[in-house]
Amino acid sequence: KPAVRVAEKTGNNWDEIKTVRLVNGAWQVKFDPQFGGPAETVTFNQLTDWSRNDNKSVKYYSGTAVYANTFNWAAKPAKSARFWLDVGTVNNIASVKINGITCGVAWTAPYRVDITKALRAGTNNLTIEVSNTWANRLIGDHSLPPGERLTNTTAPYRLDKKPLLP
């Protein structure tokens, strides 16, 4: 049978996203000292790549670090509204909580999670757990004497002259 022509829909088949709020201010970041991270909470005035940090405990850190910040939200959103938190580029995975409510995990572009269910009018507490691979810890430990290393590998030759991962 001949096909019947159907009206075509024009436009995008995805939602248009617009920025309505930025999370500004200093971030308090806790690293795990058992994995070589700093024992004290570190303040990041802006979000930066750990591998470019001057502190070697941050630069060579591998594991999970917990970022904390707060932001104010003007009013409870309408039921039909959806709000997303864009966490930027993450290496390698980030789990987002607002007010203790898990909102999702970002592990690939566009690195966004839906935060609608967790938002409340007034102050909101944001925590993001960021985890990377063991590569930077192995690279950092490779330059230390064996007694000072936290990690060991059976293939140390693969680490020679390797750059740190972002």
Side-chain angles (χ1 to χ4, degrees):
K1 296 181 181 180
V4 177
R5 185 172 180 104
V6 180
E8 295 177 14
K9 183 178 178 185
T10 59
N12 297 332
N13 64 350
W14 60 84
D15 292 333
E16 292 295 324
I17 303 289
K18 68 178 183 175
T19 302
V20 294
R21 175 90 171 70
L22 295 174
V23 178
N24 294 317
W27 291 83
Q28 302 305 310
V29 186
K30 292 183 183 178
F31 294 86
D32 189 339
Q34 290 184 337
F35 291 137
E40 301 296 322
T41 299
V42 177
T43 300
F44 284 5
N45 291 319
Q46 60 183 349
L47 299 176
T48 58
D49 180 347
W50 299 346
S51 70
R52 296 175 190 261
N53 198 292
D54 292 334
N55 181 340
K56 289 185 179 187
S57 294
V58 174
K59 182 176 190 163
Y60 298 115
Y61 184 77
S62 291
T64 300
V66 181
Y67 287 73
N69 205 334
T70 59
F71 63 94
N72 288 313
W73 193 254
K76 184 144 178 78
K79 282 193 173 194
S80 63
R82 307 297 312 156
F83 294 93
W84 298 81
L85 178 68
D86 183 333
V87 295
T89 301
V90 175
N91 292 296
N92 292 95
I93 191 166
S95 177
V96 177
K97 288 184 182 178
I98 294 185
N99 302 317
I101 299 169
T102 300
C103 297
V105 175
W107 59 274
T108 187
Y111 300 104
R112 272 193 304 252
V113 296
D114 186 343
I115 61 170
T116 308
K117 67 182 177 185
L119 281 176
R120 65 180 179 214
T123 301
N124 287 266
N125 297 308
L126 169 61
T127 58
I128 305 173
E129 295 180 3
V130 176
S131 301
N132 65 350
T133 68
W134 279 102
N136 291 351
R137 174 84 272 149
L138 288 167
I139 292 168
D141 281 358
H142 183 63
S143 66
L144 297 174
E148 296 179 26
R149 296 177 184 172
L150 295 176
T151 59
N152 293 299
T153 179
T154 59
Y157 63 89
R158 293 181 183 171
L159 302 175
D160 288 333
K161 299 180 182 146
K162 291 286 184 180
L164 294 175
L165 300 178

